[in-house]
Amino acid sequence: MDSLRLYLVTWNVATQAPEEDVTALLGLSNRSPKDKLPDLYFIGLQEVKSQPQNMLLDALFDDPWSNTFRTVMAKHKYIKIKTIRLQGLVLSVFSLSHHLTHLRDIQTQFTKTGLGGMWGNKGAVTIRFNLYGCSICVVNSHLTPHDHLLKERVADYNTIVGSQSFSVGETSRIFLHDYVFWIGDLNFRLADPNVLTGPEIKRLVECGELKSLLDRDQLRQAMALGSAFSEMTEQLPSFPPTYKHHLHSSAYDLKRRPSWTDRVLHFVHKNVYENITLHAEQLSYTSVPQYEQSDHKPVISEFAIKVFSDYHDRLVEFMPVEDWYLDEMNSVFCHIGDDVKHSPWDWVGLYKEDFSSLDDYLCYVYVSTTPFWAEQSINQSSQNRNTLKLTFPDTAARLPGKYQVVYVTNSPVSVLGISAPFQVYSPRQPTFDWGQS
């Protein structure tokens, strides 16, 4: 089996706009060319500003936080695969570009738990997909706050698990996936508020008594009782409580008792495949205290997971694109694998060569279900049996340069093929027959 590295970030940004460089948060600063980059990033944010005017703009464009992360990651050849938002909850997944055509059955879900399920200020957003034969599900949640509302947090968790479903085969529920990662501001506090006051917690943190504090952690107690998150595993945090700090400071704001509200947990179906043992190794789990613009510290964790080697499923191969001129209709040809059941809702998008998001298409055309050989009334042969022709309008590209086309299925989304970069040329110059003028 092969190994993939996953990098997870959770951060409650307290409605603040992005101010700080996130390169270090993503572990991308001071990397040498020999350092192995994570294969996938999952970035979960809570309390992204969600006033009506912000939601309207963010419905049309990426929110400022997603743009900030995307700008940094594009420099390292990552492509944003998907973002899902529920008011202030945002979850994005980024992939190194060479994994793009192995992503299958991307789906999202969300659950509102605020105001008895009527409001999305609290709840969860989820992204699931298959990669190299294994299913991965990541949940980003923001649960009920305040020390005394433990039962509500437990109820939130069980509502999310019970309500979210997916239409992909044997992974219709969160915990039917091979790998599950749950991140977010879970809002679990420390028990015994009359004994563990804010100043006392601060004193114990400064003395390095984290273990004694974590013995009173509501999340670990709920896991032990089986009331919430008992299916999951969490490495014991070795970092100080991540909430609550004064804005633009690392000093605790003792209006709230310091707590480990921001967490990363995981679950593995180890023996779901015959003669194969799946495994997730947690390589790191820490907070990043130098980030001070929020009253929460971000938390990061990196995992290495096992996936199948040389796994191929439903591939589309584009033929070389040699002649594409501006102001003309242009066509590309692709070969559909025998295991691909293409749909009239599948589409092929035109992208600039350096695109950094699947949403960056300049133009797209739907896929005809009529094979090219039938359309042309020519003999079916092994070479053209599954060949499709896609014709783009003359306005598809507006400038000369390097482009690519990508084949995407719809509902659920899978990326089945991507062409090699090709040149789009300036408009052909008209030719005149001066002898007839």
Side-chain angles (χ1 to χ4, degrees), residues 90-125:
V90 179
L91 175 62
S92 298
V93 56
F94 294 81
S95 169
L96 284 174
S97 57
H98 65 269
H99 297 305
L100 189 62
T101 57
H102 298 276
L103 289 159
R104 298 289 179 270
D105 301 329
I106 304 164
Q107 282 192 321
T108 61
Q109 264 291 4
F110 67 88
T111 303
K112 301 176 182 179
T113 60
L115 295 178
M118 299 295 293
W119 193 242
N121 64 321
K122 297 294 185 288
V125 288

Side-chain angles (χ1 to χ4, degrees), residues 111-140:
T111 303
K112 301 176 182 179
T113 60
L115 295 178
M118 299 295 293
W119 193 242
N121 64 321
K122 297 294 185 288
V125 288
T126 303
I127 297 176
R128 64 86 57 217
F129 56 85
N130 288 11
L131 184 63
Y132 298 109
C134 290
S135 57
I136 299 170
C137 182
V138 179
V139 184
N140 172 32

Side-chain angles (χ1 to χ4, degrees), residues 50-105:
S50 57
Q51 293 179 349
Q53 64 270 27
N54 301 102
M55 295 298 292
L56 177 61
L57 287 173
D58 295 345
L60 301 173
F61 311 100
D62 274 345
D63 65 274
W65 278 103
S66 296
N67 270 330
T68 296
F69 285 106
R70 178 178 160 186
T71 298
V72 172
M73 302 192 72
K75 300 173 185 176
H76 299 272
K77 305 301 182 185
Y78 286 94
I79 294 174
K80 183 169 77 71
I81 304 303
K82 191 70 178 177
T83 292
I84 179 172
R85 179 169 186 174
L86 174 65
Q87 289 184 214
L89 271 169
V90 179
L91 175 62
S92 298
V93 56
F94 294 81
S95 169
L96 284 174
S97 57
H98 65 269
H99 297 305
L100 189 62
T101 57
H102 298 276
L103 289 159
R104 298 289 179 270
D105 301 329

Side-chain angles (χ1 to χ4, degrees), residues 47-297:
E47 292 193 21
V48 175
K49 196 169 186 178
S50 57
Q51 293 179 349
Q53 64 270 27
N54 301 102
M55 295 298 292
L56 177 61
L57 287 173
D58 295 345
L60 301 173
F61 311 100
D62 274 345
D63 65 274
W65 278 103
S66 296
N67 270 330
T68 296
F69 285 106
R70 178 178 160 186
T71 298
V72 172
M73 302 192 72
K75 300 173 185 176
H76 299 272
K77 305 301 182 185
Y78 286 94
I79 294 174
K80 183 169 77 71
I81 304 303
K82 191 70 178 177
T83 292
I84 179 172
R85 179 169 186 174
L86 174 65
Q87 289 184 214
L89 271 169
V90 179
L91 175 62
S92 298
V93 56
F94 294 81
S95 169
L96 284 174
S97 57
H98 65 269
H99 297 305
L100 189 62
T101 57
H102 298 276
L103 289 159
R104 298 289 179 270
D105 301 329
I106 304 164
Q107 282 192 321
T108 61
Q109 264 291 4
F110 67 88
T111 303
K112 301 176 182 179
T113 60
L115 295 178
M118 299 295 293
W119 193 242
N121 64 321
K122 297 294 185 288
V125 288
T126 303
I127 297 176
R128 64 86 57 217
F129 56 85
N130 288 11
L131 184 63
Y132 298 109
C134 290
S135 57
I136 299 170
C137 182
V138 179
V139 184
N140 172 32
S141 68
H142 193 188
L143 307 185
T144 299
H146 305 307
D147 290 27
H148 63 289
L149 296 181
L150 171 61
K151 289 183 179 179
E152 285 75 4
R153 283 187 279 283
V154 170
D156 288 346
Y157 168 79
N158 288 294
T159 296
I160 294 163
V161 172
S163 66
Q164 293 201 0
S165 63
F166 306 92
S167 63
V168 181
E170 298 177 351
T171 58
S172 59
R173 296 288 180 176
I174 290 174
F175 285 108
L176 294 178
H177 289 79
D178 298 331
Y179 296 100
V180 179
F181 299 91
W182 198 304
I183 64 178
D185 178 0
L186 307 187
N187 256 323
F188 286 93
R189 310 303 172 95
L190 296 174
D192 303 323
N194 294 328
V195 176
L196 286 178
T197 62
E200 175 63 8
I201 295 171
K202 180 175 179 289
R203 185 190 70 80
L204 291 171
V205 169
E206 291 172 345
C207 293
E209 298 291 333
L210 301 185
K211 175 67 167 60
S212 63
L213 287 173
L214 284 164
D215 288 341
R216 311 283 187 88
D217 174 61
Q218 291 179 344
L219 174 58
R220 303 192 75 79
Q221 291 177 351
M223 293 171 71
L225 290 171
S227 57
F229 292 97
S230 58
E231 304 91 339
M232 309 200 77
T233 300
E234 184 198 29
Q235 188 180 103
L236 191 69
S238 60
F239 47 89
T242 53
Y243 175 80
K244 172 180 170 102
H245 297 83
H246 290 287
L247 294 179
H248 302 99
S249 170
S250 288
Y252 285 114
D253 179 355
L254 297 181
K255 292 178 181 177
R256 294 284 188 273
R257 296 189 308 138
S259 298
W260 284 273
T261 57
D262 310 282
R263 314 291 275 263
V264 177
L265 300 94
H266 73 283
F267 165 85
V268 183
H269 258 304
K270 294 183 179 179
N271 299 310
V272 69
Y273 300 105
E274 187 175 356
N275 300 322
I276 295 291
T277 301
L278 299 182
H279 179 66
E281 179 185 2
Q282 193 164 11
L283 306 174
S284 65
Y285 186 29
T286 187
S287 65
V288 192
Q290 65 263 38
Y291 288 89
E292 297 184 337
Q293 69 172 92
S294 171
D295 55 0
H296 290 250
K297 298 299 181 186

